[in-house]
Amino acid sequence: MASKIADVIATERTALKETGGVTDGSIATNVKPLTPRSPADVRPERITSRDPDAFPAVTGREEEWRFTPVDRLRVLLDGAPSDARLQEKTELPEGVSLREVGSDDPLLATVPDPVDRLSALAMRNADGAVVISIPADAQVTAPVLVDLRGTGQAEVIWGHVVIEVGRHAKATVVFEHGGDARYAACVSVLVGDGAHLDLVSVQEWDSTAVHSQHTAIRVGRDARVRGIDVTLGGDVVRLVKTVEYAGPGGDAELLGLYFADVGQHLEHRLFVDHAAPSCRSRVTYKGALQGDSARTVWVGDVLIRAAATGTDTYELNRNLLLTPEARADSVPNLEIETGEILGAGHASATGRFDDEQLFYLQARGIPADEARRMVVRGFFADVINEIGIASLEERLLAAVEAELERTKL
Amino acid sequence: MSTPQNRAAGSVLSIRGLEVAVEDKTILRGVDLTVRSGETHAIMGPNGSGKSTLAYSVAGHPKYTVTGGTVTLDGEDVLAMTVDERARAGLFLAMQYPVEVPGVSVSNFLRSAATAVRGEAPKLRLWVKEQKEAMARLEMDPAFAERSVNEGFSGGEKKRHEILQLELLKPKIAILDETDSGLDVDALRVVSEGVNRVRESGESGVLLITHYTRILRYIEPDFVHVFIGGRIVEQGGKELADELEANGYAKYGAAAEPAGKSLPMGPVVPGAVTTA
């Protein structure tokens, strides 16, 4: 055990060294940070609340907003209620049910609270929720498909979706987002004891869409959840994902892939809160950026509380800058309140396109543009191959392929 | 430019008065060399003499600037070609430090390369067999094909992988840059046998760049060139290698170290300090 602790400390030290002594764990971004880092050693207590006014007004200077172009989210932050909805198409395999509930439904009282002002606004303004239920012990092999499409409405669309997975059930839920919308949502995910959920969210919005979402996952005892974000389109996409464990033995694997083009801001913020013993978490996000002002943000926070002995966690973020004007921010942050853990670590790197890889492939006769595509495909392949759902892997490879087609490498 | 299918015997790589600089520093000072298919040439020289620079300039690495001279392959101007055009024209460089390409499997890479060099995708069933047999000859585990290119490969695996490509791509002229460095005796034997198979086909010329003489016990050169200070200073048959092994490069005015004392620095890793 002592050596594990030493490993953790060494990892932290390295991170500190690489960031020049600041403690938020920022590593290897493309250029100097736009905003000064917080001087505090310990991040302030996290606020969770259903009341938007429990959170300070958003100026862009707050820790959780400092990377976000809040002006482009202003229409959401204004918080005007609306009845607008996304076009919904669902495929529900046998045994899976979908219902709409009012805001006074007792189920909604049990879901995790929002973590920032915008997610609190979304939960309040959604005024009820769509509930997808997978009954206990159900083994649903076909994926539950939810296709959400914006039709260009100017009003903000507020959404709240609850996914309930009964104990020992197994299911895959896939969200696909497309079209043009201003969409702010909460997705509450309740994974019962011993259940297994694969939750995929694909963002292929039009280049004008704005999407903000808080996905709150509660992992039951000995349950397993895999969350997979694939973000390829949109003007601003800001996805916050939080994981809490309702009991020991939970396992959360969070995978992500993003590809930012000219002018896009794609932000993924993760917070894994280890409060129960013997839980595991793995976070692996990879992004590629190309073009002027293409921007990505990845913030990976892991907190290991004193009670969370036997925790095993690792988070990784890699960014590939295909053009020099793009900018990726990567901020891993690990807080550890107990030494009695199995392992904890993080890694982050942001690099430019490797000309040596290009030379090697070209020296085997492969033309330059094809060689570049091979390298980018290869960069994402290990995330995609982790998914383990063949049909989905093919679909995502095709999506990356389409993205590469649109991209002049 | 000749078509990829044009593999007629009698190819000639002709290097005339080649001068090359790296970041304004002159490395090659007028190299003249002719390699014909079926011939094996060894280029030997001490560290920093410019041997690897010759290899990478002919392959077209962007770090090297050609400041004078010509390179032609069967009369075509190699220097006017892009890196991939040179490979498709029939040049091959086995690298001393092959590059990792994460997420790209060996089998995908090999088939992409073969498709590019041959001008059409090989038929899948035939290709699978061809690749499998070539790997077996190099004593490579079939599982190797599913690994990412060069990622986590041992030194010996990297070199076998380079020679595997050589055997599958069947170039007109192959330049092997320090292929023998970092190999144990078993791996050196396997790799040398691969090179010898290519030689015996009679369709490829081989330019073997080495710091050591030991690979020449396995691959017998027709010609040996001594490379000092960016030029060829002496040429001879294989007996010249024996003399170098005994006496080193002292008589050429270079550092009086015997051939093969220390490992040369790698080429062209960005950011790496080189001692050229």
Side-chain angles (χ1 to χ4, degrees):
Chain A
M1 187 57 71
S3 70
K4 296 285 185 193
I5 297 164
D7 285 350
V8 171
I9 292 168
T11 308
E12 282 295 276
R13 285 231 175 92
T14 312
L16 288 181
K17 218 180 285 169
E18 289 177 45
T19 56
V22 288
T23 51
D24 70 352
S26 305
I27 293 179
T29 54
N30 182 15
V31 287
K32 283 180 298 193
L34 285 175
T35 44
R37 295 193 176 93
S38 158
D41 265 9
V42 179
R43 141 191 314 278
E45 189 58 33
R46 292 166 185 280
I47 305 170
T48 59
S49 175
R50 301 195 176 210
D51 175 9
D53 292 328
F55 302 93
V58 175
T59 65
R61 288 189 297 273
E62 302 74 17
E63 173 59 34
E64 67 266 45
W65 294 101
R66 68 192 175 102
F67 294 110
T68 312
V70 293
D71 288 349
R72 286 150 76 185
L73 280 180
R74 189 55 68 189
V75 58
L76 305 185
L77 288 163
D78 285 346
S82 98
D83 293 327
R85 293 188 66 152
L86 294 171
Q87 255 177 21
E88 238 177 75
K89 231 168 56 190
T90 54
E91 280 179 36
L92 304 176
E94 210 182 317
V96 178
S97 68
L98 185 147
R99 67 184 194 276
E100 296 200 18
V101 300
S103 57
D104 54 352
D105 192 278
L107 174 67
L108 297 192
T110 68
V111 304
D113 284 341
V115 292
D116 58 29
R117 187 176 169 88
L118 192 44
S119 53
L121 283 169
M123 194 176 280
R124 189 187 68 186
N125 288 345
D127 197 27
V130 172
V131 180
I132 297 170
S133 296
I134 293 117
D137 298 312
Q139 305 293 303
V140 185
T141 44
V144 179
L145 296 176
V146 182
D147 186 273
L148 299 172
R149 190 152 291 274
T151 52
Q153 304 100 310
E155 313 95 290
V156 175
I157 298 169
W158 304 100
H160 188 186
V161 180
V162 179
I163 302 167
E164 256 186 319
V165 186
R167 65 199 305 259
H168 300 304
K170 184 172 193 294
T172 301
V173 179
V174 179
F175 284 86
E176 305 218 21
H177 302 92
D180 176 40
R182 277 125 294 283
Y183 179 52
C186 280
V187 175
S188 307
V189 184
L190 309 173
V191 186
D193 292 350
H196 181 171
L197 173 69
D198 286 341
L199 175 63
V200 182
S201 186
V202 180
Q203 288 66 243
E204 285 187 281
W205 297 105
D206 294 351
S207 59
T208 45
V210 176
H211 178 197
S212 167
Q213 180 163 309
H214 172 212
T215 304
I217 302 173
R218 183 180 294 143
V219 184
R221 181 184 182 115
D222 297 325
R224 173 153 198 249
V225 62
R226 295 199 307 157
I228 300 159
D229 287 329
V230 179
T231 306
L232 304 173
D235 175 40
V236 179
V237 177
R238 183 180 189 271
L239 304 181
V240 178
K241 189 172 273 180
T242 58
V243 173
E244 60 185 59
Y245 297 89
D251 185 347
E253 187 152 340
L254 308 179
L255 300 169
L257 178 167
Y258 46 90
F259 198 133
D261 292 323
V262 180
Q264 287 186 325
H265 176 97
L266 307 181
E267 179 168 345
H268 297 86
R269 308 181 72 93
L270 302 134
F271 175 45
V272 182
D273 187 349
H274 280 278
S278 302
C279 291
R280 176 180 178 274
S281 60
R282 288 288 180 278
V283 178
T284 307
Y285 273 63
K286 286 189 151 192
L289 301 85
Q290 84 91 32
D292 282 353
S293 64
R295 181 82 195 274
T296 66
V297 176
W298 177 88
V299 178
D301 290 349
V302 174
L303 170 59
I304 304 172
R305 297 185 193 264
T309 55
T311 292
D312 177 7
T313 177
Y314 196 85
E315 49 172 355
L316 175 141
N317 177 230
R318 294 254 181 277
N319 296 295
L320 182 57
L321 300 167
L322 300 174
T323 52
E325 305 82 11
R327 182 192 150 125
D329 285 283
S330 178
V331 187
N333 185 42
L334 183 57
E335 294 171 70
I336 305 174
E337 294 173 357
T338 174
E340 298 291 312
I341 59 170
L342 282 181
H346 59 201
S348 160
T350 296
R352 292 184 192 289
F353 205 87
D354 185 344
D355 290 335
E356 294 304 317
Q357 291 180 342
L358 202 58
F359 174 73
Y360 187 72
L361 296 173
Q362 279 190 269
R364 299 304 179 245
I366 300 167
D369 55 346
E370 194 191 331
R372 284 198 186 88
R373 280 163 216 271
M374 281 178 84
V375 170
V376 176
R377 254 183 247 134
F379 174 75
F380 284 131
D382 58 347
V383 168
I384 293 178
N385 293 341
E386 278 288 303
I387 295 170
I389 309 168
S391 58
L392 186 59
E393 289 179 5
E394 271 168 41
R395 150 113 183 62
L396 294 181
L397 275 172
V400 169
E401 211 63 38
E403 188 72 22
L404 284 168
E405 283 304 316
R406 281 196 291 276
T407 301
K408 286 276 169 287
L409 282 175
Chain B
M1 197 169 66
S2 56
T3 68
Q5 301 304 317
N6 181 4
R7 293 258 178 269
S11 289
V12 184
L13 176 71
S14 176
I15 301 170
R16 289 286 164 272
L18 187 64
E19 295 173 19
V20 171
V22 179
E23 289 161 4
D24 297 334
K25 189 179 173 212
T26 301
I27 309 286
L28 299 189
R29 300 165 188 278
V31 177
D32 293 298
L33 183 65
T34 303
V35 182
R36 294 183 173 79
S37 42
E39 296 176 353
T40 299
H41 295 245
I43 291 198
M44 304 196 61
N47 286 341
S49 58
K51 305 186 298 292
S52 285
T53 299
L54 176 64
Y56 279 79
S57 319
V58 173
H61 194 285
K63 179 182 162 187
Y64 300 95
T65 310
V66 174
T67 52
T70 61
V71 179
T72 60
L73 178 63
D74 298 338
E76 302 283 344
D77 182 1
V78 169
L79 299 179
M81 300 178 195
T82 61
V83 175
D84 47 301
E85 285 169 350
R86 295 179 198 208
R88 293 198 297 276
L91 288 173
F92 179 87
L93 170 62
M95 299 189 200
Q96 185 181 3
Y97 299 106
V99 181
E100 292 182 6
V101 191
V104 176
S105 71
V106 167
S107 60
N108 175 18
F109 165 67
L110 292 176
R111 190 149 192 268
S112 299
T115 300
V117 167
R118 296 176 190 181
E120 61 179 357
K123 293 225 170 13
L124 193 55
R125 270 184 55 196
L126 295 175
W127 171 252
V128 168
K129 185 165 176 274
E130 187 182 353
Q131 178 189 306
K132 216 171 132 186
E133 288 172 357
M135 288 176 67
R137 285 195 297 270
L138 288 162
E139 299 174 21
M140 298 167 87
D141 189 317
F144 193 88
E146 297 318 311
R147 293 170 64 185
S148 289
V149 170
N150 292 318
E151 197 177 40
F153 287 14
S154 69
E157 285 172 336
K158 282 182 181 165
K159 298 302 169 68
R160 282 174 211 231
H161 181 226
E162 293 295 286
I163 301 307
L164 175 65
Q165 296 164 51
L166 169 67
E167 288 204 64
L168 289 170
L169 299 180
K170 301 181 176 60
K172 292 175 181 169
I173 304 291
I175 304 174
L176 311 184
D177 185 26
E178 309 268 5
T179 292
D180 49 340
S181 70
L183 294 185
D184 63 28
V185 173
D186 276 346
L188 183 61
R189 174 187 56 78
V190 169
V191 160
S192 300
E193 285 169 3
V195 175
N196 284 332
R197 280 192 292 273
V198 171
R199 294 173 67 205
E200 282 155 18
S201 74
E203 290 170 11
S204 300
V206 174
L207 182 58
L208 196 66
I209 291 176
T210 183
H211 190 77
Y212 299 92
T213 50
R214 65 172 187 155
I215 195 172
L216 305 182
R217 291 175 213 148
Y218 297 88
I219 304 171
E220 198 170 282
D222 304 306
F223 306 94
V224 173
H225 311 266
V226 182
F227 208 79
I228 308 277
R231 312 183 287 126
I232 292 168
V233 296
E234 187 169 356
Q235 311 191 47
K238 62 180 196 294
E239 70 288 343
L240 185 51
D242 301 330
E243 191 196 319
L244 287 171
E245 178 157 36
N247 303 323
Y249 301 105
K251 79 171 199 185
Y252 304 105
E257 56 164 334
K261 186 187 164 200
S262 62
L263 278 173
M265 293 298 291
V268 299
V269 179
V273 181
T274 55
T275 55

